[in-house]
Amino acid sequence: CLYTQYYHPGHYAVDIQQRGGGPIYGAEGGTVIRADLGWNGGYGNVIEVDHGNGLVTLYAHNKELYVKVGDAVNRGQEIAFMGNTGRVYGKTGIHVHFEVQVNGIKKNPILYLK
């Protein structure tokens, strides 16, 4: 995988790409609070996971979703397959748009990734 876009004003996430797509894994254990198909404001097929203590992760532009609202997920569990649904431009192509929110405020996901 490689980063095709980093966190910056107007793009409060990182875009991570794998040639041809690949599985998306939950960043941490939690409960699925959103699993929607469609446009979704440009996110395309999107999943949000509530990890407790105000921490929520979002995974957008998915081709397929493997979880539904209310599901408990574990860290490293496959939750979706990378796609290009929603508003996707140029070189980002097939990728996951990964956001981290703490108490509703979008944070730089790089600070939370190893």
Side-chain angles (χ1 to χ4, degrees):
C1 292
L2 59 104
Y3 294 106
T4 57
Q5 192 168 186
Y6 288 91
Y7 180 93
H8 59 80
H11 188 261
Y12 302 101
V14 292
D15 289 348
I16 305 168
Q17 180 184 64
Q18 180 175 329
R19 186 172 298 275
I24 304 301
Y25 303 101
E28 191 57 69
T31 303
V32 177
I33 57 172
R34 182 178 182 191
D36 293 332
L37 300 173
W39 178 251
N40 294 304
Y43 283 127
N45 301 334
V46 63
I47 293 172
E48 284 185 88
V49 179
D50 185 341
H51 305 286
N53 297 318
L55 180 64
V56 173
T57 53
L58 179 144
Y59 312 80
H61 305 311
N62 303 296
K63 178 179 179 181
E64 300 171 346
L65 307 183
Y66 302 143
V67 295
K68 63 185 182 314
V69 172
D71 284 355
V73 298
N74 297 311
R75 179 181 185 155
Q77 178 180 334
E78 194 170 322
I79 60 173
F81 194 87
M82 209 175 277
N84 61 353
T85 61
R87 184 177 15 209
V88 176
Y89 298 109
K91 70 176 183 175
T92 57
I94 296 171
H95 69 282
V96 62
H97 171 96
F98 178 67
E99 290 183 10
V100 173
Q101 302 167 24
V102 178
N103 297 319
I105 299 169
K106 294 178 182 179
K107 302 289 186 175
N108 186 343
I110 296 292
L111 303 174
Y112 297 85
L113 296 171
K114 290 183 179 181

